[in-house]
């Protein structure tokens, strides 16, 4: 899985030499770009998964022969185009999400990072996160992603109960999850986040809390707690609608959430956002940009972005959505340099509403400076 030397040059090489950065201390959060600045975060969407989980309605596809070289080329082109159109000169963080980006080749990650570093300033200590599923993240593969420039992992454990994992349609077992977590911590110490779901059909408070407590005995410094949302069109939604599974109990889910918050606080975690908890300053720099309404560029099929197209002479922040279906998106990228399907200029009122809605999700809240940046 080792990368060729040519792939490890430039920014990747500098990043490997840079000291690992911690986000800001727990008295606040990382500094995020002002709405009209020339700084931004960058999100890269990998649209493929091994299978579709029973609860998932995200923009993802089960591959039937992926031309990764073509997809890689399009990700590079679109990243460069959007950086030029946005006028962004400094990329604060990069997040590879999906889908299951740990199914991608580390060469793809390295190529995107090199392209970003060529088009803008990507500091050597920038947070570069990769979402990973246990069944696609062996130790050697994780090490290769580290060599490509990744310095933070977000692992979709979701549960440490095999019956619940089967219900969710996950491809890994609880044992797989713990093995991957241990390997990730060895390779990325202090930079591993884990997801845990609550509010599943028939789930009870006591057993779920024991899962969380067990996870805290072996996890790193960032935990995300997500309540199951039954989405129309998913297998789980259909099973509940047809009576094959009981509907999740919102009162029990609320109790799990409150009890889970208490357990995490006792373990030294700060709840810096509704679903996210960190200790030792290990906040997600990338996600903090979203919650503080900084600019971000969305690259890849179905990716979303929020930025002012200053490089194209624009003065108003736009919400952008890229074309959803991968083959159509690639055709558009090859024709136009990007696959933006929808552009929506945001009014001052809409921007204010976003600042309020996002700021109230965090423990910092809304500051005078945040309102009038």
């Amino acid at each position: 899985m080792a990368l060729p030397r040519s792939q490890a040059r430039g920014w990747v090489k500098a990043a490997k030499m840079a000291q690992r950065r911690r986000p800001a201390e727990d008295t606040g959060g990382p500094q995020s770009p002002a709405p009209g600045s020339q700084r931004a975060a960058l999100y890269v969407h990998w649209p493929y998964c091994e299978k579709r989980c029973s609860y998932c309605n995200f923009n993802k596809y089960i591959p039937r022969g992926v031309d990764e070289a073509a997809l890689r080329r399009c990700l590079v082109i679109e990243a460069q185009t959007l950086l030029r159109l946005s006028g962004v000169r400094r990329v604060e963080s990069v997040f590879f999400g999906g889908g299951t980006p740990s199914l991608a080749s580390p060469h793809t990650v390295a190529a995107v990072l090199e392209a970003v570093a060529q088009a803008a300033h990507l500091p050597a200590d920038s947070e570069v996160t990769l979402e990973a599923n246990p069944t696609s993240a062996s130790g050697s593969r994780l090490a290769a992603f580290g060599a490509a420039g990744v310095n933070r992992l977000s692992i979709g454990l979701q549960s440490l109960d095999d019956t619940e994992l089967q219900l969710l349609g996950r491809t890994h077992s609880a044992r797989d999850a713990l093995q991957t977590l241990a390997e990730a911590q060895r390779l990325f110490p202090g930079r591993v986040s884990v997801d845990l779901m609550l509010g599943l059909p028939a789930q009870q408070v006591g057993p779920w809390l024991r899962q969380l407590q067990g996870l805290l005995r072996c996890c790193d410094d960032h935990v995300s707690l997500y309540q199951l949302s039954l989405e129309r069109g998913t297998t789980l939604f259909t099973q509940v609608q047809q009576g094959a599974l009981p509907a999740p109990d919102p009162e029990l889910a609320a109790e799990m959430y409150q009890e889970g918050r208490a357990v995490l606080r006792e373990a030294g975690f700060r709840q810096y956002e509704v679903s996210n908890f960190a200790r030792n300053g290990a906040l997600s720099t990338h996600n903090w940009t979203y919650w503080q309404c900084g600019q971000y560029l969305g690259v890849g099929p179905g990716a979303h972005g929020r930025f002012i197209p200053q490089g194209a002479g624009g003065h108003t922040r736009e919400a952008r959505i890229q074309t959803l279906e991968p083959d159509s998106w690639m055709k558009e990228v090859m024709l136009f340099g990007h696959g933006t399907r929808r552009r929506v200029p945001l009014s001052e009122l809409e921007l204010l509403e976003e600042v309020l809605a996002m700021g109230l999700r965090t423990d910092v809240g809304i500051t005078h400076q945040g309102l009038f940046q």
Side-chain angles (χ1 to χ4, degrees):
M1 295 297 298
L3 291 173
R5 290 185 180 180
S6 61
Q7 288 279 19
R9 68 185 185 281
W11 178 84
V12 173
K13 188 174 182 180
K16 293 298 291 180
M17 296 173 62
Q19 182 179 6
R20 295 180 189 271
R21 181 185 66 179
R22 282 285 192 189
E25 291 300 316
D26 284 357
T27 53
Q31 294 298 307
S32 55
S37 75
Q38 292 180 314
R39 297 180 291 155
L42 188 138
Y43 172 81
V44 183
H45 189 73
W46 176 264
Y48 300 111
C49 282
E50 291 177 312
K51 61 171 292 190
R52 181 171 288 276
C53 296
S54 65
Y55 60 92
C56 181
N57 72 336
F58 292 166
N59 182 45
K60 56 179 61 174
Y61 303 84
I62 310 306
R64 286 190 289 255
V66 176
D67 184 350
E68 185 166 352
L71 182 61
R72 180 189 307 130
R73 182 166 61 252
C74 288
L75 290 172
V76 165
I77 291 171
E78 185 166 76
Q80 293 173 328
T81 300
L82 294 184
L83 284 166
R84 184 175 67 254
L85 290 175
S86 66
V88 166
R89 295 184 179 179
R90 179 184 174 97
V91 174
E92 302 286 328
S93 63
V94 181
F95 193 104
F96 291 88
T100 308
S102 50
L103 290 173
S105 164
H107 299 288
T108 295
V109 170
V112 171
L113 293 174
E114 288 288 359
V116 172
Q118 289 169 10
H121 177 49
L122 181 63
D125 61 352
S126 295
E127 178 188 276
V128 179
T129 302
L130 179 92
E131 289 183 340
N133 281 347
T135 50
S136 59
S138 64
S140 61
R141 192 167 183 81
L142 292 179
F145 282 121
V150 171
N151 56 30
R152 182 177 181 272
L153 291 177
S154 178
I155 302 178
L157 302 187
Q158 312 308 354
S159 175
L160 290 178
D161 180 280
D162 285 340
T163 300
E164 290 179 356
L165 289 169
Q166 291 173 7
L167 174 70
L168 294 171
R170 305 294 285 175
T171 59
H172 66 271
S173 66
R175 181 178 180 182
D176 294 333
L178 294 175
Q179 287 177 339
T180 299
L181 177 57
E183 194 65 24
Q185 288 176 292
R186 182 182 70 81
L187 293 166
F188 302 89
R191 306 296 293 265
V192 179
S193 177
V194 292
D195 297 347
L196 190 67
M197 293 186 72
L198 60 91
L200 275 59
Q203 197 174 44
Q204 298 298 313
V205 176
W208 181 80
L209 281 175
R210 287 192 287 275
Q211 280 191 54
L212 176 59
Q213 290 161 343
L215 181 61
L216 290 179
R217 289 193 287 271
C218 56
C219 78
D220 215 325
D221 293 331
H222 194 281
V223 175
S224 298
L225 299 184
Y226 294 117
Q227 182 177 347
L228 172 69
S229 176
L230 286 178
E231 302 290 347
R232 189 175 298 276
T234 64
T235 301
L236 206 55
F237 178 91
T238 301
Q239 289 174 320
V240 170
Q241 287 293 103
Q242 294 177 347
L245 289 172
D249 186 329
E251 295 299 325
L252 282 179
E255 186 177 350
M256 289 177 201
Y257 178 68
Q258 295 295 354
E259 293 289 339
R261 292 175 66 211
V263 167
L264 286 162
R265 280 199 303 268
E266 182 67 23
F269 284 81
R270 164 191 166 194
Q271 184 179 12
Y272 70 101
E273 192 269 341
V274 170
S275 298
N276 288 275
F277 302 77
R279 61 186 173 190
N280 299 322
L283 288 72
S284 168
T285 299
H286 185 87
N287 288 338
W288 191 260
T289 297
Y290 297 156
W291 298 320
Q292 294 295 293
C293 290
Q295 293 196 124
Y296 58 96
L297 312 181
V299 173
H304 288 229
R306 292 281 194 283
F307 64 87
I308 299 174
Q310 297 178 89
H315 302 285
T316 302
R317 180 178 286 214
E318 296 179 351
R320 290 195 173 214
I321 303 175
Q322 308 308 98
T323 293
L324 293 173
E325 200 278 323
D327 288 343
S328 298
W329 169 81
M330 284 194 283
K331 289 176 183 176
E332 292 176 24
V333 171
M334 295 308 295
L335 282 172
F336 309 115
H338 64 86
T340 302
R341 177 56 58 91
R342 190 175 181 211
R343 298 170 54 187
V344 181
L346 299 174
S347 68
E348 290 186 5
L349 178 59
E350 288 170 321
L351 289 172
L352 179 58
E353 288 174 342
E354 286 195 357
V355 168
L356 292 172
M358 302 304 281
L360 290 174
R361 294 183 64 89
T362 72
D363 65 342
V364 174
I366 301 160
T367 64
H368 178 272
Q369 291 84 358
L371 279 173
F372 297 101
Q373 284 179 338

